[in-house]
């Protein structure tokens, strides 16, 4: 049918009628209805108009009223077909969850399916069964398949047949139900015929087409279609709906009727180099539309990520967009809380999930009231390295607070109360809801839109599944729950705005002032269905809708939208460094445009989003703060001294500001912990006055080691033990040799401190804790255990003024000093050169302190070797310095 | 058999062909041209399957195809003819093909499916999606990209489990391995085993007990008796002991050192065997080997005639000791494999389970399953039915990087497909010289195997081309001698079109610069003098030279060719390549210092960048304000730009309140520095949104309110701005991606980031400073595959490969169905005799790959090629240096004037009037639901009634139980006698329930009931809800007056003439008439 070609409406048949293409579809339909039925005014209630969705219905009503120009109008019966059918439907079809569970119950017993995920398979099969039902194909699908592909697809055929037998035979599936309702409607219409119209209904299933055909037998049924006669529609039509005659010919013809591109000042494209650029181009375009007075703006969210970015940018402008697209429930904060809770139940309170829960506003009452306790608890967890387990956490809480805080106690109790015996799905849900009640989560969840939807879903599912008796384990149920939450969608109704984020099907048949399609690339447009059980070819031969059908429908939807007003097609032309091809629709339109009017489609530039300007910060420079004497520490360890030598700024961060890194609760025990464990073992060994007989000493050391490691996690204990075991003999040998030379153990972990007077500051203390002090007569030796390789320690000893620990120990204790590297057999002490001027080295520190007190700044030296392990880089900003 | 490239034959759509094409010879041109020719010859778009190595290459190929098709569709006839001629379309066919050529763009763009241009992995995943039942997979099982994290989790869990069960087989294996190789090596071993899982599966395929199978195969390769202790045997042998003693005594007669060794050896016989063995290994052998010199001249002289006997003894003992060493090595190999395979296999099983639990698969699974599927004859017919496309023309790109498993699958499938369809063609392009993916199991020899297969089954000639269109003549001249000795390398030639393109070649050997200062001054003053950088190695010097030469000699000076002629080089013209990422940081730092903008592919780059660290610290602070270091970090970042003095106020030494609490308090004080006040205000504001706002939305707020982009631009040096801006953008995008996932939280986001930082495989790269950013690209050679640039600088440092250790040996020649062998090895010293040939093969392949890497690196350069490195250690540098010395090629490009870059106009600010408002979503409570049901009951019951399924409605509203009561109440209401006038049809002409009307603006108005009498019309609004109960009549009227007036106007418009009355009906049946 050619554009603009009017046809008479023929009673008794299904009429298709093209409307003039120069107006938006709702208006064209309204005009047509008023023209044809002028005699009925003001009461059009004798007509029924099928619309694609409720919102489209509202737009039609508005168009009718405006076109009629009267104070009041009795509108036609305007309804989406599904809703109309629902009004007359009797009873309820079997709920989806129930069917799914029933099917799963069958599939879980099919061993030949191997590792296939039964839940996913069940969903796939159900969807297919519904499609077959909608196509009225069900009963003989198996024979059809066998006829099509003898000797292939046996498994699929068998599955489908089984599913059909199990679930769809009794006519209680949703599609059969729908068909029954439509039958009733058709009956009504036959009894009392009235004109029926429809437009932009999208792809119709066999059930629906049959319904329309039946209606047409008794009443005039007219499907109104947008015409392609107006220049804009012509251009889209020529670009997207024709491939004949050749492009150049079509373009020439078009240019002839329309010497100036009708697209040039209506349509823009934005091929953005990255996500942010696309979002900024869309935002700039929306802003321009608003400036031009347009309000009803549709943002078709093909690319969800960019769309979210667009929404955020628009919100900066106080342009709020109503989100019609909906989110899966699993992405909401409310669902996250439920998930955290189940994770705690499943794995005995992993600290991360536990902390999330404790900080959540959804459980245990007002989070502000427990905030300080929670933060204190988190710090304690980190310090003690407790990463999991109610028992350990309870102990820790006792130690930290003297008692287990209420919130924590309730979580522990709720977990104990959460039965984990195998149970039916509904019973599991009941357990979940009960436990949420015990955590006071129900009220806050109901108060949250997504939370309310979540609770609602639980309630519905429980009702739907209450006669399902199949038993499930905890993990199996959770997987079901996850899938279910993933499949349920939630839309945020918190914004009322003429600017809407929506999808192509949801925008079908509606009226907008301007439309932007976000994500018009080859991945999203036309949308590609995920591969299913059957290939497209098989689907086509079975009469099921195919990808090509969907693509054609999407193209038609898009055309309807784009002819209404200004439009934008945007996409990311690059994903990181990969090109991301544009939608074939864009490529075809652009090619046509070039061919017809010699120019590419006009581009939309990105704009600069609003900012909240602040006084700009100073350029980053190498820092060198000075410190007032009162701010300097009074006590200096060799480590602090060493830090000051390595990088004065790091000393500033650590010792002046007192900033240290927090531990992570779940960090595996590391090298430092190993060193600490050895230190403890050796101190206990020497404190125990071990026998100076090799075998006995070794036995003692082994026993003490085993004792120390026993408290560790099993793997750490094993790994450390196997590392330490071969060294024990070497250690004992080294000690015996040392003892043979006359050295005797005096003390372990001994503190030494020497006060020094510092100009401008007063008295400061140089202090250190020494691992082991030995004596031989008057002489003393201090020994520092190291798990570092001897090679590195030797290097350090070569520069005692740069590696100051041993010299300072020697000076503090007035003794000989040595490292004892415990890393490789044999073990032997590495002594500090006896000629080292330990006093000069140690007393450099008070001199430096005096200089600091006098105002000498603390520069950041940025020596790579030091910076590599420095926690203060965020403070010194190394890497961002201006020269 | 190789023939020089015959383009006409190679593009002939009716034939198959193999093209071995050197770098820059226009592989993509050939491939896409071939696609065009196929389409022109009538192939349906869906029949084309092109497989290349990266998604990027696939996308570029698609883009190129579209571009060309557009030319064909839109250009004038002459251009199209020329275009086709260039692609060897025969002159006689031109006219006939023209219309088809013009229609191809639309034919391809409208085809469903269109041509498939993908990677092996993409193709495999697609296959699996379409045949999940055959593969035993869930539908749409998502791909797990971050495998390392899950592997580590599973490993740690298992290690703990094994340690807790020390008596189990795994527990014992764990203990043994920890004792033998230590913890770090154990982890390496397990990791390497997991990485070789495809080989493991292939090797043990079909074996009921894979570990036993592998061990059974290994055992015969080792010494027959591994149970006995060879050392004990040695010392138990009296003759041996005598030999040892004789040697000792003989040595004692020699020089002083010999005498020392000799007496030690003599004494050894008295020690326990192990100790004695140690003595022999120390004093008789050296580093496990025989000594070169058996005796000093002195000893020889002393021994005189006894020398021969001494030598015989020595040789016998040495041989015995070597024998012992060999047995011990075999024992260790055996132990390593017994324990290592046990643990590896258990770990692999657990990892597979963990993925199954999550319902995900990884790349290795996809590859393995898809290959099995393709090789499986039983599923083949079903599989064909499941694919939407009937592939008849296969185009394979970069085939040298294919692995044996892929080739096995592909060849099986091809053989089958060819048998079914003789018109099938295959076009394979690649370059074995550019095979550089051994670490991803690529196997260059597959190319030859495939070429042979295609020659035999598809009659495909093998063409070779050594003409490069990319390289300038001088670069070609420099290239050839470097590879002259490489097996199979043929001298390259430049394209005629490039004959006059200037080139430059340079090698830059560097040495560690001697720091004149020497060691730091004794008792250095750290406040004035920094510690000199520990080692000033050659690579430091190289980095400095690199930046310096770029800045002072190249940028803005050298002329490079571009479309518009000659112009001075810009940073974007330079591609700097490294072999490994090890020293990238050094080069970056020098570029920073020289103020040269660059982008880099440093792994995990984004998250290591200071600006990303700042944002992570910010989120940490918002979650845990007590984390003082993080708070200080955020305060000092450009976000707040606080000074050190200001930090001192927040973290005042000795003060009672510190950190967060102090900051909040300070903000309330007068005289609070503005930066701190701003920080306190913004941080508190953002913290209030934690727990409710998703990560991206919170970050957007931070960016907006914190003026983030502008502040960073102001704070960082100009050369860094593009990269910093790109990183800020990339970070926001990370948050967006995370928010789309399941159960997102802010803490989850930070956790994810933390794990990403450590996961080098998955860590996001730094944001690409796109927008055609003009920056030096600093990439690995692997990352530069497929790229080119006018100026290429290969940075060498002193990189040399560290030999692999604690890894897997699994040789798999391309024509074998599975690996020939599979075992674990510890170090080079413990390879064992039997496995030597395989290790040697591996070494040859590795050497070959090193050549290939160099070839790939050098052939990126269009005009100028610079190679630098440690003069003493860098083998590549030595090689090119030697090759280039005699050539005397120019060392620099001719100078050219700088062309000022077109200044892009700054983007216009986005301005718009505010639109939309927030509303509290209608949380329709139970009361509203009851109201709805009551209305529905009235609508049903009041004449003329309506057909409504009340039980269904009640069920939907959750009021099934209350329906009887509500229905009864509605019934009761309607029978009030005084209401009969409005509800009994005998009293009125006509009544309507729920009458829907449109007002002039098209708004829908629904009136509960309208009753038409002869002389008047009444409209009745039901006010039965709880909210009306408490209101007296007057108030009720007041509240609804406007609405009723509107209703009245509507009715008026429809029933012109009759007076219209309005009334409200209360739940108790009272009718409240509303006066006009
Ligand atoms: S990162 Fe380097 S320069 Fe900065 S404080 Fe740490 S050590 Fe000093």
């Amino acid at each position: 049918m050619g554009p603009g070609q009017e046809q008479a409406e023929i009673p008794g048949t299904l009429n298709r009628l093209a409307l003039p293409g120069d107006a938006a579809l709702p208006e064209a339909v309204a005009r047509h209805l008023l023209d044809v039925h002028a005699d009925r005014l003001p009461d059009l209630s004798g007509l029924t108009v099928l619309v694609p969705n409720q919102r489209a219905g509202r737009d039609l009503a508005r168009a009718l009223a405006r076109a009629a120009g009267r104070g009041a109008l009795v509108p036609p019966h305007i309804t989406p077909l599904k809703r109309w059918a629902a009004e007359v439907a009797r009873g309820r079809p079997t709920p989806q969850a129930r069917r799914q569970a029933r099917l799963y119950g069958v599939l879980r017993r099919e061993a030949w399916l191997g590792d296939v995920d039964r839940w996913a398979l069940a969903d796939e099969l159900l969807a297919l069964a519904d499609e077959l039902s909608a196509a009225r194909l069900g009963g003989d699908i198996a024979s059809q398949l066998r006829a099509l592909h003898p000797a292939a697809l046996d498994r699929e055929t068998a599955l489908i047949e089984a599913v059909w037998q199990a679930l769809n035979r009794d006519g209680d599936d949703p599609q059969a139900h729908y068909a029954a309702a439509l039958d009733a409607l058709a009956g009504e219409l036959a009894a009392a015929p009235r004109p029926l119209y429809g437009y932009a209904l999208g792809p119709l299933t066999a059930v629906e087409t049959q319904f329309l055909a039946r209606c047409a037998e008794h009443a005039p049924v007219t499907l109104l279609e947008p015409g392609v006669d107006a220049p804009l529609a012509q251009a889209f039509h020529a670009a997207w709906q024709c491939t004949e005659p050749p492009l150049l010919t079509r373009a020439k013809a078009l240019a002839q009727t329309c010497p100036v591109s009708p697209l040039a000042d209506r349509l823009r494209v934005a091929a953005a180099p990255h996500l942010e650029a696309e979002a900024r181009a869309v935002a700039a375009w929306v802003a321009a539309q608003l400036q031009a007075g347009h309000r009803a703006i549709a943002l078709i969210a093909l690319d969800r990520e960019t769309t979210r970015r667009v929404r955020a940018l628009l919100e900066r402008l106080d342009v709020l967009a109503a989100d019609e697209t909906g989110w899966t429930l699993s992405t909401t904060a409310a669902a996250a809380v439920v998930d955290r809770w189940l994770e705690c139940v499943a794995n005995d309170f992993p600290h991360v999930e536990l902390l999330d829960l404790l900080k959540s506003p959804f459980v245990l009452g007002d989070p502000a009231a427990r905030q300080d306790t929670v933060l204190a608890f988190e710090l304690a967890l980190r310090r003690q390295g407790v990463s999991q387990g109610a028992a350990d956490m309870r102990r820790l809480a006792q130690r930290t607070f003297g008692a287990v805080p209420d919130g924590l106690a309730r979580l522990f109790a709720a977990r104990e109360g959460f039965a984990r015996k195998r149970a039916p799905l509904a019973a599991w849900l009941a357990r979940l809801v009960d436990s949420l009640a015990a955590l006071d989560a129900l009220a806050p969840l109901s108060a949250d839109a997504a939370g309310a939807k979540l609770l609602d879903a639980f309630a519905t599912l429980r009702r739907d599944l209450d006669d399902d008796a199949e038993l499930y384990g905890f993990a199996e149920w959770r997987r079901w729950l996850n899938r279910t939450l993933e499949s349920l969608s939630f839309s945020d109704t918190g914004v009322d705005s003429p600017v809407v984020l929506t999808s192509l099907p949801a925008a079908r048949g509606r009226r907008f002032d301007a439309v932007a399609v976000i994500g018009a690339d080859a991945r999203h447009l036309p949308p590609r269905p995920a591969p299913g059980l059957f290939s497209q070819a098989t689907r086509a031969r079975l009469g099921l809708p195919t990808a090509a059908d969907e693509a054609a429908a999407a193209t038609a939807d898009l055309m309807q939208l784009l002819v209404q007003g200004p439009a934008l097609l945007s996409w990311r032309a690059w994903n990181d460094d990969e090109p991301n091809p544009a939608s074939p629709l864009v490529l075809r339109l652009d090619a046509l445009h070039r061919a017809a009017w010699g120019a590419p489609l006009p581009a939309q530039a990105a704009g600069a989003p609003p900012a909240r300007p602040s006084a700009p910060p100073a350029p980053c420079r190498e820092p060198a703060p000075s410190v007032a004497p009162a701010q300097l520490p009074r006590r200096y360890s060799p480590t602090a001294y060493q830090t000051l030598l390595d990088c004065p700024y790091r000393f500033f961060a650590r010792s002046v500001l007192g900033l240290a890194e927090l531990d992570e609760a779940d960090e595996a025990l590391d090298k430092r912990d190993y060193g600490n464990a050895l230190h403890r073992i050796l101190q206990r060994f020497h404190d125990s006055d071990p026998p100076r007989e090799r075998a006995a000493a070794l036995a003692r050391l082994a026993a003490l080691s085993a004792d120390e490691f026993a408290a560790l996690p099993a793997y750490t204990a094993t790994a450390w033990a196997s590392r330490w075991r071969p060294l024990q003999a070497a250690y004992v040998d080294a000690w015996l040799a040392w003892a043979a030379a006359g050295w005797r153990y005096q003390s372990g972990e001994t503190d030494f401190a020497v006060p020094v007077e510092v100009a401008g500051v007063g008295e400061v203390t140089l202090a250190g804790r020494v691992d082991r002090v030995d004596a031989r007569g008057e002489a003393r030796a201090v020994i520092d255990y190291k798990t570092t390789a001897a090679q590195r320690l030797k290097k350090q000893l070569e520069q005692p003024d740069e590696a100051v620990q041993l010299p300072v120990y020697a000076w503090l204790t007035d003794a000989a000093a040595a490292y004892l590297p415990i890393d490789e057999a044999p073990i032997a002490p590495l002594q500090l050169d006896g000629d080292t001027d330990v006093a000069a080295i140690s007393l450099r520190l008070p001199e430096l302190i005096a200089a600091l007190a006098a105002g000498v700044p603390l520069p950041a030296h940025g020596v790579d070797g030091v910076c590599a392990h420095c926690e203060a880089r965020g403070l010194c900003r190394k890497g961002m310095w201006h020269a | 058999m190789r023939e020089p490239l015959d383009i006409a034959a190679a593009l002939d759509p009716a034939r198959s062909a193999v093209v071995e094409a050197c770098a820059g010879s226009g592989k993509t041109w050939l491939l896409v041209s071939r696609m065009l020719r196929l389409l022109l010859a009538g192939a349906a778009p869906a029949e084309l399957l092109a497989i290349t190595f990266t998604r990027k290459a696939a996308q570029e190929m698609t883009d190129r195809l579209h571009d060309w098709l557009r030319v064909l569709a839109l250009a004038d006839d002459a251009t199209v003819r020329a275009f086709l001629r260039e692609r060897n379309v025969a002159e006689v066919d031109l006219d006939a093909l023209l219309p088809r050529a013009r229609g191809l763009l639309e034919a391809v763009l409208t085809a469903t499916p269109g041509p498939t241009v993908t990677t092996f992995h993409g193709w495999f995943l697609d296959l699996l999606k379409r045949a999940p039942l055959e593969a035993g997979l869930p539908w749409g099982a998502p791909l797990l990209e971050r495998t390392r994290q899950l592997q580590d989790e599973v490993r740690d869990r298992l290690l703990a489990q094994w340690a807790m069960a020390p008596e189990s087989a795994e527990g014992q294996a764990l203990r043994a391995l920890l004792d033998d190789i230590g913890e770090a090596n154990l982890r390496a071993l397990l990791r390497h085993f997991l990485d070789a899982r495809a080989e493991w599966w292939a090797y043990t395929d079909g074996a009921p007990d894979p570990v036993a199978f592998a061990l059974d195969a290994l055992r015969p390769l080792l010494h027959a008796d591994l149970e006995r202790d060879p050392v004990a045997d040695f010392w138990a042998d009296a003759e041996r002991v005598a030999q040892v003693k004789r040697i000792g005594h003989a040595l004692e007669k020699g020089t002083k050192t010999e005498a020392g060794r000799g007496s030690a050896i003599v004494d050894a016989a008295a020690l326990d065997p192990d100790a004695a063995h140690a003595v022999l290994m120390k004093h008789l052998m050296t580093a496990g080997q025989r000594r070169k010199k058996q005796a000093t001249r002195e000893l020889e002289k002393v021994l005189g005639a006894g020398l021969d006997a001494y030598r015989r003894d020595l040789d016998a003992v040495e041989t015995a000791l070597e024998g012992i060493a060999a047995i011990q090595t075999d024992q260790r190999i055996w132990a390593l494999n017994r324990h290592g395979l046990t643990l590896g296999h258990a770990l692999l099983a657990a990892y597979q389970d963990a993925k199954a639990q999550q319902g995900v698969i990884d790349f290795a699974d996809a590859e393995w399953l898809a290959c099995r599927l393709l090789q499986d004859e039983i599923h083949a017919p079903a599989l064909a039915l499941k694919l939407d496309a009937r592939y008849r023309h296969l185009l394979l790109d970069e085939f040298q990087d294919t692995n044996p498993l892929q080739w096995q699958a592909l060849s099986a499938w091809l053989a089958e497909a060819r048998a079914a369809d003789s018109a099938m063609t295959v076009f394979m392009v690649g370059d074995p010289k550019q095979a550089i993916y051994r670490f991803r199991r690529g196997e260059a020899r597959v190319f030859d195997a495939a070429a042979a297969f295609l020659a035999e089954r598809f009659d495909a000639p093998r063409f070779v081309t050594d003409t490069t269109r990319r390289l300038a003549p001088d670069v070609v001249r420099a290239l050839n001698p470097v590879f002259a000795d490489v097996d199979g390398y043929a001298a390259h030639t430049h394209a005629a079109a490039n004959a006059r393109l200037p080139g430059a070649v340079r090698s830059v050997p560097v040495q560690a610069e001697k720091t004149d200062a020497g060691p730091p001054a004794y008792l250095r003053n750290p406040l004035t003098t920094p510690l000199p950088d520990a080692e000033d190695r050659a690579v430091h010097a190289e980095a400095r030279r690199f930046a310096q030469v770029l800045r002072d000699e190249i940028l803005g000076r050298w002329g490079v060719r571009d479309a518009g002629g000659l112009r001075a080089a810009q940073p974007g013209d330079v591609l700097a390549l490294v072999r490994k990422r090890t020293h990238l940081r050094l080069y970056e730092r020098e570029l920073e210092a020289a103020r040269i903008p660059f982008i880099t592919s440093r792994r995990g780059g984004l998250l290591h960048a200071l600006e990303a660290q700042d944002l992570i610290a910010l989120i940490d602070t918002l979650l845990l304000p007590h984390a003082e270091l993080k708070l200080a970090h955020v305060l000092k970042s450009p976000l707040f730009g606080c000074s050190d003095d200001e930090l001192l106020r927040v973290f005042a030494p000795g003060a009672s309140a510190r950190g967060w609490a102090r900051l909040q308090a300070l903000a309330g004080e007068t005289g609070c520095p503005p930066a701190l006040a701003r920080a306190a205000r913004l941080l508190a504001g953002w913290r209030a949104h934690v727990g409710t706002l998703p990560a991206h939305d919170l970050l957007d707020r931070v960016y907006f309110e914190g003026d983030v982009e502008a502040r960073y631009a102001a704070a960082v040096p100009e050369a860094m701005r593009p990269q910093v801006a790109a990183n800020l953008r990339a970070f926001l995008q990370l948050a967006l991606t995370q928010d789309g996932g399941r159960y997102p939280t802010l803490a989850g986001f930070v956790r994810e980031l933390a794990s990403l930082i450590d996961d080098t495989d998955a860590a996001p790269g730094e944001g690409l400073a796109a927008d055609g950013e003009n920056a030096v690209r600093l990439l690995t050679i692997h990352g530069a595959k497929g790229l080119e640039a006018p100026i290429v600088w290969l940075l060498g440092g002193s990189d040399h490969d560290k030999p692999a250790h604690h890894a897997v040996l699994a040789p798999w020649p391309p024509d074998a169905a599975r690996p020939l062998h599979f075992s674990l090895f510890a170090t080079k010293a413990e390879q064992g005799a039997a496995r030597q040939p395989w290790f040697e093969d591996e070494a040859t392949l590795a050497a070959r790959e090193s050549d290939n890497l160099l070839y790939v690196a050098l052939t990126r350069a269009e005009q100028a090629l610079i190679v630098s490195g440690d003069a003493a250690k860098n083998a590549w540098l030595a090689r090119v240096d030697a090759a280039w010395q005699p050539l005397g090629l120019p060392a620099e490009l001719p100078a050219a004037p700088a062309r000022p870059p077109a200044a892009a106009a700054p983007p216009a600010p986005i301005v718009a009037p505010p639109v939309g408002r927030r509303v509290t979503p209608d949380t329709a409570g139970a009361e509203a639901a009851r109201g709805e049901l009551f209305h529905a009951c009235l609508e049903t019951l009041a004449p003329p009634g309506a057909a409504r399924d009340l039980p269904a409605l009640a069920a939907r509203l959750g009021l099934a139980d209350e329906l009887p009561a509500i229905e009864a109440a509605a019934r009761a209401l309607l029978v009030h006698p005084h209401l009969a006038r409005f509800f009994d049809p005998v009293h009125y002409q006509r009544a309507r329930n729920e009458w829907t009307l449109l007002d002039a603006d098209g708004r829908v108005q629904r009136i509960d009931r309208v009753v038409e009498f002869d002389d008047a019309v009444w409209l009745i609004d039901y006010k039965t809800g709880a909210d009306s109960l408490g209101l007296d009549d007057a108030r009720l009227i007041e509240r609804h007056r406007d609405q009723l007036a509107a209703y009245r106007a509507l009715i008026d418009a429809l029933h012109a003439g009759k007076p219209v009355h309005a009334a409200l009906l209360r739940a108790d049946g009272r009718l409240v008439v509303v006066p006009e």
Side-chain angles (χ1 to χ4, degrees), chain A residues 196-278:
Chain A
L196 188 62
Y197 289 90
Y199 67 92
L201 298 182
L204 295 175
T205 63
V207 166
E208 291 165 332
T209 327
Q210 284 168 21
F211 163 75
L212 291 176
R214 265 193 70 191
C215 292
E217 288 166 18
H218 305 284
V221 178
T222 312
L223 293 184
L224 302 170
E225 292 170 351
V228 290
D229 50 343
L232 205 55
Q234 258 178 4
F236 285 119
H237 176 70
W240 291 347
Q241 294 179 322
C242 311
T243 50
E244 290 291 327
L247 183 70
L248 273 177
T249 321
R250 265 179 285 147
K252 294 250 165 60
L254 206 55
Q256 208 121 72
T257 50
C258 221
V260 180
S261 160
L263 292 164
D265 55 356
R266 289 287 289 270
L267 181 86
R268 293 195 171 199
V269 290
H274 47 73
L275 185 149
E276 184 69 17
E278 185 187 357

Side-chain angles (χ1 to χ4, degrees), chain B residues 550-570:
Chain B
L550 278 183
R551 185 191 58 199
D552 299 341
E553 296 181 39
I554 297 179
L555 297 178
R557 293 184 172 77
W558 286 12
V560 298
R561 179 181 66 172
D562 75 357
L566 220 57
R567 63 164 168 74
Q570 302 167 357

Side-chain angles (χ1 to χ4, degrees), chain A residues 4-146:
Chain A
Q5 187 183 325
E6 289 278 335
Q7 283 186 356
E9 294 173 28
I10 309 158
T13 56
L14 193 60
N15 299 291
R16 289 180 180 273
L17 193 66
L19 300 173
D22 59 351
L25 194 53
E27 266 116 54
V29 171
R31 264 196 337 233
H32 178 76
L33 292 178
L34 290 175
D35 279 358
V36 177
H37 299 287
D39 53 326
R40 293 176 183 247
L41 285 172
D43 185 352
L44 297 175
S45 59
L47 310 175
T48 296
V49 185
L50 298 178
V51 290
N53 54 62
Q54 301 254 57
R55 292 188 172 98
R58 282 206 281 280
D59 288 348
L60 175 62
R62 200 170 306 127
L64 273 173
R66 296 215 172 123
R70 292 166 172 256
L73 202 62
V74 186
H77 179 216
I78 301 175
T79 180
L81 185 52
K82 291 229 165 50
R83 192 180 166 90
W84 193 17
E87 279 166 17
V88 303
R90 297 283 147 206
R92 281 179 80 204
T94 313
Q96 198 66 3
R98 181 77 191 81
R99 303 171 75 211
Q100 188 200 26
R102 199 188 292 168
L103 183 51
Y104 182 83
V106 175
L107 294 178
R108 82 196 299 195
R109 291 179 180 82
E110 296 292 334
W112 66 270
L113 284 170
D115 289 338
V116 169
D117 177 356
R118 270 40 169 204
W119 286 122
L121 179 58
D123 287 349
E124 173 77 17
L125 287 170
L126 273 184
L128 187 59
D130 285 347
E131 274 190 306
L132 292 171
S133 183
R136 295 255 143 137
L137 264 174
D140 33 79
I141 176 71
S143 50
Q144 284 205 37
L145 272 174
R146 292 204 180 92

